[in-house]
């Protein structure tokens, strides 16, 4: 039987995502509900290595459910990639009597947590928090819905000005090496073409598609480009296309980090609240080295290997639909 857990610590790590605060709140309040002590670790693995750890109570997480970012702050830590760094972190956790960890973050966070678990055998669980929605083992990650809505809002605004000037716009969105944000914001924003790493077209194919639009009297076009593709970034693609379309007034907008900010949508708040509760209940029930996920409405706990082997696949239906509707 696994040892009883009494002192849990929660932290956020990697790129922040809207809804992380709602997840922190859920982890803190669920721990208190089950009479556990709960600690917050500041600045992710960096704070763990430096011992930047504080006990939290139900009021410490009041008025944060609607706030973007993370009250615990976040960081990407090189030192935690080393055995020595993880040992320092473990020493600080032990000094505080912490006997379980809940991490909120993406694949880098889960990789660090997995290595920590293998070396120190402390129960650990990961809540998927990243705008990229690139983790298999859950239908949605916390922050993806908000980020995609932010992109759609921006695309709508760019459409107004594109139409007024008969321009061709390339809009670059985040996702690291995943096209999730791009494909669904492209469908929702009515893009003329969507370029994603999972289904890359050539410049020739893109030009042929845009040509067809011109032939069918499209006066402006929006192309959504996911970062991280082999064709290059939006600026490079726009340059190539402009060589073949010199008569088209081409513009580029890179949405960048504004996609990570803002108040989380209702969907991300509810997702984060559920996952926070399930993470604490899971770890109390002896689940460790797993990621909480929700698939088809069912709570699942997937182990590190099954979650980290590949990216969350883009739904084939989304690809098919985008091609039919972008003529
Ligand atoms: O993983 C989230 C993400 O926003 C990616 O979409 C993007 O590639 C990356 O983080 C940017 O990282 P940073 O904020 O460190 O520049």
């Amino acid at each position: 039987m696994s040892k009883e857990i009494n002192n849990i610590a929660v932290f956020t790590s990697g790129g922040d995502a809207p809804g992380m605060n709602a997840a922190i709140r859920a982890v803190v309040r669920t721990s208190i509900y089950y009479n556990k002590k709960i600690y917050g670790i500041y600045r992710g693995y960096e704070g763990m290595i430096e011992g930047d750890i504080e006990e939290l109570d139900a009021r410490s997480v009041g008025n944060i459910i609607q706030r973007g970012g993370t009250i615990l702050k976040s960081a990407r830590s090189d030192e935690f990639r080393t055995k020595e760094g993880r040992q320092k972190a473990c020493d600080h956790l032990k000094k505080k009597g912490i006997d379980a960890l809940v991490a909120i973050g993406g694949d880098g966070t889960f990789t660090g947590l997995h290595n920590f678990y293998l070396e120190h055998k402390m129960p650990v669980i990961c809540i998927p928090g990243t705008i990229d929605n690139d983790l298999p083992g859950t239908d949605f990650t916390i922050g993806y819905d908000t980020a995609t809505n932010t992109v759609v809002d921006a695309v709508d605004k760019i459409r107004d000005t594109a139409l007024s000037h008969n321009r061709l716009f390339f809009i670059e969105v985040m996702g690291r090496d995943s096209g999730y944000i791009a494909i669904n914001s492209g469908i929702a924003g009515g893009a003329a073409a969507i370029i994603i790493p999972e289904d890359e077209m050539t410049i020739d194919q893109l030009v042929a598609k845009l040509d067809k639009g011109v032939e069918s009297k499209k006066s402006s076009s929006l192309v959504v480009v996911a970062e991280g593709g082999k064709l290059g970034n939006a600026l490079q693609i726009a340059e190539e296309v402009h060589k073949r379309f010199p008569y088209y007034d081409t513009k580029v907008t890179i949405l960048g980090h504004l996609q990570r900010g803002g108040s989380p949508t209702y969907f991300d708040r509810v997702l984060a609240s559920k996952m926070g509760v399930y993470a604490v209940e899971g770890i109390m029930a002896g689940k460790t080295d797993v990621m909480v996920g929700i698939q088809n409405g069912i709570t699942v706990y997937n182990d590190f290997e099954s979650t980290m082997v590949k990216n969350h696949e883009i739904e084939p239906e989304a690809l098919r639909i985008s091609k039919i509707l972008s003529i």
Side-chain angles (χ1 to χ4, degrees), residues 76 130-132 174-176 227 257 260:
R76 300 193 198 272
T130 164
I131 63 165
D132 299 338
M174 278 187 169
R176 201 177 291 276
E227 65 173 354
H257 286 80
R260 291 239 294 261

Side-chain angles (χ1 to χ4, degrees), residues 167-170 237-239 241-242 245-246 248-252:
R167 279 175 169 161
L168 169 61
F169 264 89
F170 290 84
I237 296 172
E239 213 177 286
V241 171
H242 189 64
F245 264 133
Y248 229 140
D249 191 4
T250 304
K251 295 282 174 191
V252 176

Side-chain angles (χ1 to χ4, degrees), residues 25 28 61 83 110 166 224 256 281 289 294-295 314:
R25 172 181 180 270
V28 168
V61 290
K83 221 172 171 176
F110 200 5
N166 293 351
V224 174
E281 291 181 341
D289 199 23
I294 300 179
Q295 290 180 306
I314 300 283

